Amino acid sequence: MSIRLTLFGLFFLSVLVATTPVTPLQAAHTTDLIVKVANPQTITMVTRAIRAQRSEPLGGQTYLIRLPAGMPSELALSHIRSLNGVIYAVPDYERTISRTSNDPLRDQQWALGTIAAYDAWDITTGGPVVIAVIDTGVDANHPELAGRVMSGFNAITGSPNASDDNGHGTAVAGIIAAGADNGNGIAGLCWGCIILPIKACLSNGRCRDSSVISAIRWATDNGARIINLSLGGSSPSPALHEVVRYASERGVLIVAASGNERAEGNTPNYPAAYPETLAVGATGYGDEVTGFSNTGDFIDLVAPGVDIATTIPNNGYVLATGTSFASPFVSGAAALIMTLRPDLSNHDVRCVLAISADDRGAPGRDSEYGYGRLNVLTALQTAITYGSCPLGTSAEHSSFDPFARVDVPTDGRRYFPETGHTLGGGFRTYWEQNGGLPIFGFPISEEFTEIGSDGRPVTVQYFERHRFEWRPEHAPPYNVLLSRIGDDILRRQGRDWMTFEQSGPISGCRYFAETNQSVCEPFLSYWQRNGLEFDGRPGKSYAESLALFGLPLSTPQVEETRPGTVVIVQWFERARFELHPDGQVLLGLLGNELLGR
């Protein structure tokens, strides 16, 4: 059995051949199940009990179970739910999109005026905020998106191929981040934003929960600040809700379309109806909620969703209608806020969008308009002076503690029982390729979002000896930035390295004119043996060592690094070399010291 999510968009094509409408499929069933267990041993019991073909980890002790041919899913669900250690077992639902053809494309974007985008651009046109578009993929070669789309992920195949074989995802991405002020095509809302494309939906618009779950987790672990979900379905799933919470707890703002089934029962759609999600409905030319846009108490905002000019694959453009195309306006507006106020949390950004919306319908929040229709100008003006949120639920902060020990993972992440933390994705690759335990130490946190060295929120992870920042807009090895942790510790101690004694050039040592310091033995040999891996050649070049440790900031000097431990140290931008009594050169535990642990 499988839940299918619906991509909530109708394409009105101007230059393409009209397509046959795809009927939305709600709660369509396949022979797959999603099962969460209390421990890894339980999943073995589950697969044996029903003779499952195989199980695939989805993260967080959650698995996709492939049922044997001919086994009724209802029977399997009943049996699995009766087993000890099973927290829940649900169908792997699918959701779908619907499309049709209509009027020709018009050379205008009426929605930008309605949401006051033009005046908002006088404040900011957006910076490199990473927005994950979980959809049918994105055409990264479209001239409006070229250079704005990162390498992505295909949650269906597990490959990096996130190309778009439907058009829906490219349309969503164009509304968010199409090039502007370039003399052709359309203007996206956030000109400087970066799209992280993740394909979770097939060419027919069907998107299994298992794929969407993998996509949300991957986006969260790979630097997304915002996730746009222009998809949904009427069946709630604890597995889907769990991964939505996973992303929200780690500082990701999740924006989802409310659905297009108002005339077909107007049931709540998921993931939009989850409280951690910012749910977006669609309005038309007269600022009225459209006849197709789902309504209900879960609605947070509305935005234009009729005849929205945007991009489609193969350098094309289209007029698109649906809540699918209202949601990306809110995602783009959130990115503008994050550009202007990088210190705000996902909860704060959600609050700013709510309190700055133009109230429509019944006064205050209502089931049709939510807090109101998106106003980008007012949102940015509100963000400038924002201090705290007057809305209780929107201001709630996550209980997630990135420094608390975690359970042994089931999704392939490396677990370190010494500290109770995990390592995965790009951070794990970087850690393993560039020195591992001796250079960086054990992880002492999970990945989470905090302000980076450039003042922007980024995904970070702390280690005993370092702090990683995830920079997915750069190619490896520059996709991970090492903090200037040596400099940071010195400043925290109130010590200005520019006032330190300077050694100048010393015979037999390596001299660094930038700081007028030299590195001599035994620190020099350690510096030369270690470094980031750039060229794949044996040994470490000057550039590779410099990239790992940075410039020397001090001469060798005697310091007490912790109570009762006195060693000779030399400070570097990104490290502290320590000569211990046994003659070993070790790196100081600066990550621990930075955290006060």
Side-chain angles (χ1 to χ4, degrees), residues 356-420:
S356 63
D358 289 344
D359 194 8
R360 296 289 184 267
R365 187 178 186 182
D366 62 74
S367 61
E368 287 203 336
Y369 292 86
Y371 289 103
R373 196 251 305 124
L374 173 69
N375 186 314
V376 185
L377 173 62
T378 307
L380 295 183
Q381 292 170 333
T382 301
I384 292 172
T385 58
Y386 177 87
S388 61
C389 186
L391 308 174
T393 55
S394 295
E396 288 176 0
H397 287 270
S398 166
S399 59
F400 170 66
D401 180 1
F403 302 104
R405 296 176 71 95
V406 300
D407 295 330
V408 178
T410 60
D411 56 357
R413 293 176 65 86
R414 183 171 176 179
Y415 182 71
F416 295 86
E418 297 84 352
T419 56

Side-chain angles (χ1 to χ4, degrees), residues 51-363:
R51 298 179 182 178
Q53 296 176 13
R54 66 180 188 276
S55 63
E56 301 172 11
L58 298 176
Q61 306 282 27
T62 306
Y63 295 81
L64 175 66
I65 302 294
R66 307 283 189 186
L67 297 184
M71 174 175 282
S73 57
E74 292 80 4
L75 177 64
L77 279 170
S78 176
H79 187 42
I80 291 172
R81 288 167 177 166
S82 69
L83 298 175
N84 290 331
V86 174
I87 297 174
Y88 61 70
V90 294
D92 183 15
Y93 294 117
E94 283 187 348
R95 320 196 185 239
T96 63
I97 67 169
S98 51
R99 301 184 302 175
T100 187
S101 61
N102 201 352
D103 299 329
L105 179 65
R106 286 167 293 179
D107 240 349
Q108 58 182 0
Q109 293 177 269
W110 69 271
L112 294 179
T114 297
I115 62 176
Y118 300 112
D119 291 330
W121 289 336
D122 288 336
I123 300 175
T124 181
T125 56
V129 177
V130 178
I131 304 174
V133 173
I134 296 177
D135 216 287
T136 59
V138 175
D139 180 4
N141 296 317
H142 195 290
E144 296 279 20
L145 298 171
R148 306 169 189 272
V149 180
M150 298 166 53
S151 297
F153 177 63
N154 188 315
I156 302 168
T157 65
S159 75
N161 180 12
S163 58
D164 189 357
D165 52 9
N166 174 282
H168 191 274
T170 302
V172 169
I175 295 168
I176 296 172
D181 217 17
N182 57 7
N184 59 57
I186 63 166
L189 186 54
C190 184
W191 305 0
C193 286
I194 301 171
I195 297 295
L196 181 60
I198 306 178
K199 182 173 178 61
C201 306
L202 299 170
S203 59
N204 61 8
R206 295 178 177 178
C207 336
R208 286 195 177 189
D209 273 6
S210 51
S211 297
V212 176
I213 289 167
S214 296
I216 294 174
R217 187 175 289 272
W218 193 91
T220 302
D221 293 345
N222 284 272
R225 294 290 329 279
I226 301 166
I227 293 176
N228 187 91
L229 293 164
S230 291
L231 51 81
S234 60
S235 299
S237 164
L240 183 61
H241 192 186
E242 184 174 275
V243 78
V244 166
R245 286 197 300 265
Y246 175 88
S248 179
E249 287 172 349
R250 285 154 179 80
V252 179
L253 177 66
I254 302 174
V255 182
S258 69
N260 297 340
E261 289 77 43
R262 186 174 184 178
E264 288 80 40
N266 197 31
T267 57
N269 266 280
Y270 300 90
Y274 293 131
E276 299 82 3
T277 303
L278 199 165
V280 183
T283 55
Y285 288 100
D287 237 9
E288 77 290 348
V289 174
T290 66
F292 58 78
S293 180
N294 285 38
T295 61
D297 292 341
F298 67 97
I299 299 296
D300 292 294
L301 291 174
V302 292
V306 174
D307 288 348
I308 305 301
T310 187
T311 50
I312 53 173
N314 301 315
N315 305 341
Y317 297 87
V318 69
L319 287 179
T321 291
T323 55
S324 277
F325 311 111
S327 176
F329 281 121
V330 175
S331 294
L336 293 179
I337 294 170
M338 291 180 181
T339 301
L340 193 64
R341 288 288 306 273
D343 57 307
L344 297 183
S345 71
N346 54 340
H347 304 285
D348 290 327
V349 173
R350 179 174 179 171
C351 182
V352 168
L353 289 166
I355 63 178
S356 63
D358 289 344
D359 194 8
R360 296 289 184 267

Side-chain angles (χ1 to χ4, degrees), residues 450-470:
E450 73 175 12
I451 299 299
S453 55
D454 61 354
R456 293 192 293 119
V458 293
T459 299
V460 304
Q461 186 166 13
Y462 282 83
F463 297 81
E464 290 180 302
R465 297 184 174 94
H466 238 300
R467 174 181 176 273
F468 289 3
E469 294 185 10
W470 184 241

